[in-house]
Amino acid sequence: KGFTFQYDLRRTGNISANLNYTLQFADGTGSDSQSNESLNRRNNIRNLIPLNFDERHRFTASIDYRYDDKSGPELFGKKILSNFGVNLQAITVSGRPYSARTTPTRFGSTQLVGTLNGARKPWNFTLNLRLDKEFTINNSLGLNVYFRVSNLLDTRNIINLYSASGSAESDGFIRSKNGQDVIRELQNSNQNVEAYLASYQWAETNPNFFSLPRRIYLGAIFDF
């Protein structure tokens, strides 16, 4: 269930804009075809829970500033920015749900806290930029050259995390009682504790828990 509110600003001078807000309630008894297999082992559960892909709030704003073939500044009698445009897009999304757990284990956890998908991941924010310019080669062929940057601010958005710690960087095991017991055992057996901690930190660092970094594209589109 949900609704979308959208506002379009038709091109006024050089500027056009689009603003969009979506409110969504994605609830169900399972997020995929295998969910009910684990949920219904003892009885048939029909309670609705937020699905894994539930994004409660999404804001999108796109602003486009563009010159046509008769406008723009001149240099040596030529309009150097004719058919040139800049587009800036901002996207803000609320965090998707996950099931919080306690008692962290090595890269995992046990014992559900609260309800299934009762906790939320952090909000995400992404800013994208595109610059492009159109050229006319002949009557039947056009060329659009563009420069595009995804995740302009190189934002480190969290898209997944460890359910026991609620963090994308640490699973919480080392700080737990079980983790401290492991540290003491290593100390008592004269093992290299610093090497163990460094190796464990490398292992729990998961790049799939974060959005992609800044990416830069340069390309051309031919229009026949």
Side-chain angles (χ1 to χ4, degrees):
K1 302 180 294 295
F3 76 90
T4 296
F5 172 81
Q6 181 169 304
Y7 172 78
D8 287 307
L9 174 64
R10 295 182 180 180
R11 188 163 301 281
T12 303
N14 301 100
I15 298 178
S16 64
N18 175 275
L19 305 177
N20 183 289
Y21 168 69
T22 299
L23 174 66
Q24 173 187 248
F25 297 88
D27 299 323
T29 56
S31 300
D32 53 52
S33 60
Q34 298 179 345
S35 297
N36 284 340
E37 179 182 355
S38 58
L39 291 175
N40 297 346
R41 287 177 179 174
R42 296 184 179 179
N43 52 41
N44 191 11
I45 298 177
R46 295 185 180 276
N47 296 330
L48 296 181
I49 60 174
L51 302 180
N52 294 341
F53 47 84
D54 177 34
E55 292 178 347
R56 191 57 46 84
H57 306 281
R58 173 178 284 266
F59 300 88
T60 303
S62 178
I63 301 176
D64 190 88
Y65 189 92
R66 192 165 301 276
Y67 294 104
D68 58 24
D69 56 356
K70 298 180 181 179
S71 61
E74 293 187 4
L75 181 64
F76 303 116
K78 295 184 178 180
K79 296 187 179 298
I80 57 175
L81 293 182
S82 63
N83 296 319
F84 172 80
V86 179
N87 183 275
L88 189 65
Q89 181 189 54
I91 304 173
T92 302
V93 184
S94 61
R96 295 187 175 188
Y98 75 96
S99 299
R101 297 182 181 275
T102 185
T103 315
T105 59
R106 287 185 176 91
F107 316 116
S109 57
T110 60
Q111 196 172 348
L112 179 68
V113 177
T115 60
L116 290 172
N117 278 352
R120 290 277 171 172
K121 301 170 187 175
W123 283 63
N124 288 345
F125 174 76
T126 305
L127 194 64
N128 302 317
L129 175 69
R130 178 186 171 107
L131 310 176
D132 67 89
K133 183 174 173 59
E134 295 183 359
F135 300 90
T136 300
I137 299 178
N138 54 44
N139 293 332
S140 60
L141 181 61
L143 174 66
N144 180 285
V145 178
Y146 65 87
F147 175 79
R148 181 164 61 91
V149 183
S150 296
N151 193 6
L152 178 65
L153 302 180
D154 201 22
T155 307
R156 201 164 182 244
N157 289 311
I158 296 175
I159 57 178
N160 207 347
L161 44 72
Y162 291 104
S163 57
S165 64
S167 169
E169 298 179 348
S170 173
D171 61 6
F173 174 73
I174 295 298
R175 296 189 299 271
S176 69
K177 178 182 180 303
N178 293 335
Q180 291 301 306
D181 290 341
V182 172
I183 298 298
R184 281 191 290 270
E185 290 178 3
L186 292 174
Q187 292 172 339
N188 294 335
S189 59
N190 294 323
Q191 299 294 319
N192 191 331
V193 176
E194 294 299 325
Y196 174 82
L197 293 176
S199 300
Y200 194 91
Q201 184 180 15
W202 298 336
E204 67 182 349
T205 301
N206 191 337
N208 294 324
F209 283 5
F210 301 93
S211 60
L212 293 175
R214 181 190 298 119
R215 287 150 292 151
I216 300 175
Y217 304 87
L218 180 63
I221 301 174
F222 289 93
D223 184 15
F224 294 95

